[in-house]
Amino acid sequence: MAERGGGHTEAEIASQPDRWRRAAATAADLAPVLPRRGERVAVIGCGTSWFVAQAYAALRESSGHGETDAFAASEFPDGRRYDRLLALTRSGTTTEVLDALARVRGAIPTVAITADAATPVMNAADEIIVLDYADERSVVQTRYATTQLVLLRAHLGEDVSGVIADAERAVAEPLPAAAVAADQFTFLGRGWTIGLAHEAALKMREAAGAWTESYPAMEYRHGPIAITGPGRVAWMFGEPPEGLADQVAGVGGTMVTTWLDPLADLIRAQRLAVEIARARGDDPDRPRNLTRSVILDVR
């Protein structure tokens, strides 16, 4: 896909099916490095990587592979025992991730997944997986984050061929007209898709500066539904709770659902963020107030 001016994010979104196929093909070879069945695992990350960690943790537990906790790297609890710590970091330079790895060195086996083999995380973790083929030029993460999750889903034993087929459809099909025209967005999930809902909301805030919220679907009815009305969208990743679509419609809002795999549906949300950014005259490749990595001065 040719990149037009400011089109890195767009091209990276469209490339996801290809990157997912490559990740799925390597899952078996990487199995000795990734968490083993039965281990008690902690997963850490920042921003998008934290939301991927949430999704993976829920998937790993629900598939019977073992107790799995997800933490923002800055909130990883000292002294808690785990069999393995998995760190997710595209840049390999994020201060909070490196600090957490340093704190557990020698006490908990660690593995990091990163996009850059020439960064400090290469020496901070015991084992490393480099997904350089999924790295991005854009500040806003899209394909790298989803490629990580496809790899992890395949490692859990899932046949991801249908997920990849759905990704092809998500790249090509028209976006929901009501979402393109909306002035407020609420993303909802259940179980592992709660992390996807948080990530979709982050993409809308980062790329488009749009008013966006995200919640577990059942919690949405406990207050947040009050903001719903005409011109506002509730976007559900996966099957909505019974009666929720009727409640959203009853207050004048629009509920967006799809039969696509929820991770493929995240591609549609990424595309929506780019579409809205362009409609507002913003450049999704250069979001306000953001850099590729947060590196803190800790002197």
Side-chain angles (χ1 to χ4, degrees), residues 7-276:
H8 303 318
T9 307
E10 225 168 347
E12 287 156 2
I13 290 170
S15 71
Q16 285 174 101
D18 174 69
R19 301 311 192 271
W20 293 10
R21 286 190 192 90
R22 187 165 174 180
T26 63
D29 292 338
L30 294 173
V33 179
L34 289 165
R36 285 72 159 164
R37 182 184 286 272
E39 287 184 331
R40 186 168 187 250
V41 173
V43 195
I44 61 171
C46 297
T48 289
S49 295
W50 177 33
F51 301 141
V52 172
Q54 291 174 3
Y56 169 62
L59 281 168
R60 187 173 185 271
E61 284 205 358
S62 65
S63 63
H65 279 245
E67 183 177 343
T68 315
D69 297 325
F71 299 98
S74 59
E75 300 300 319
F76 180 70
D78 290 331
R80 188 174 296 183
R81 296 299 307 168
Y82 289 97
D83 298 312
R84 193 169 306 274
L85 174 65
L86 173 61
L88 307 180
T89 170
R90 176 182 67 166
S91 70
T93 61
T94 304
T95 300
E96 299 99 304
V97 172
L98 297 176
D99 285 350
L101 289 169
R103 292 202 311 272
V104 304
R105 184 141 213 172
I108 302 175
T110 59
V111 57
I113 305 178
T114 187
D116 191 340
T119 56
V121 78
M122 299 297 291
N123 296 318
D126 299 326
E127 298 182 282
I128 299 289
I129 294 172
V130 179
L131 304 182
D132 51 0
Y133 59 87
D135 201 1
E136 297 146 329
R137 296 177 66 180
S138 177
V139 170
V140 174
Q141 283 199 57
T142 55
R143 75 180 181 195
Y144 178 75
T146 60
T147 299
Q148 279 186 120
L149 193 48
V150 168
L151 170 66
L152 292 168
R153 289 175 71 175
H155 171 64
L156 292 175
E158 184 176 348
D159 178 359
V160 296
S161 58
V163 182
I164 296 168
D166 280 355
E168 297 276 12
R169 299 181 184 99
V171 165
E173 69 178 27
L175 293 172
V180 174
D183 56 26
Q184 188 276 335
F185 309 87
T186 302
F187 292 97
L188 306 172
R190 302 183 81 179
W192 75 277
T193 72
I194 294 170
L196 301 187
H198 293 326
E199 170 59 8
L202 181 63
K203 290 292 90 76
M204 293 293 292
R205 289 189 287 263
E206 287 179 332
W211 174 20
T212 315
E213 301 179 354
S214 54
Y215 303 96
M218 294 297 287
E219 286 298 308
Y220 173 64
R221 293 189 270 209
H222 293 272
I225 196 172
I227 65 167
T228 304
R232 297 178 180 177
V233 161
W235 183 305
M236 181 72 205
F237 287 96
E239 186 72 22
E242 185 176 355
L244 184 58
D246 290 339
Q247 286 182 289
V248 170
V251 294
T254 299
M255 176 153 250
V256 173
T257 60
T258 181
W259 54 268
L260 296 173
D261 180 88
L263 187 58
D265 194 24
L266 180 60
I267 293 176
R268 298 200 308 156
Q270 294 168 346
R271 290 177 55 213
L272 178 65
V274 170
E275 180 87 5
I276 290 173

